[in-house]
Amino acid sequence: MEALTSVFNGINWEAIVQLTLVAMIMISGPIVIFVLAFRGGDL
């Protein structure tokens, strides 16, 4: 059990969260463009 907690403590959670948020922002741009094109340019 101690090895498991040391693995979780060794993970840099802040970096993982930041990379996840950046990935979501980068993916959302093309999704918005695709939705606009699909709906004919109307929000």
Side-chain angles (χ1 to χ4, degrees), residues 32-33 35-37 39-43:
V32 170
I33 294 172
V35 169
L36 282 174
R39 295 183 56 169
D42 294 331
L43 282 175

Side-chain angles (χ1 to χ4, degrees), residues 1 5 8 15 18 21-23 25 31 38-42:
M1 191 66 181
T5 57
F8 281 116
Q18 287 179 353
L21 291 175
V22 168
I25 292 169
I31 289 175
F38 184 73
R39 295 183 56 169
D42 294 331

Side-chain angles (χ1 to χ4, degrees), residues 1-2 12-17 24-27 30 32-33 35-36 39-40:
M1 191 66 181
E2 189 173 322
N12 191 354
W13 291 107
E14 185 177 354
I16 292 175
V17 171
M24 288 170 58
I25 292 169
M26 291 177 67
I27 291 170
V32 170
I33 294 172
V35 169
L36 282 174
R39 295 183 56 169

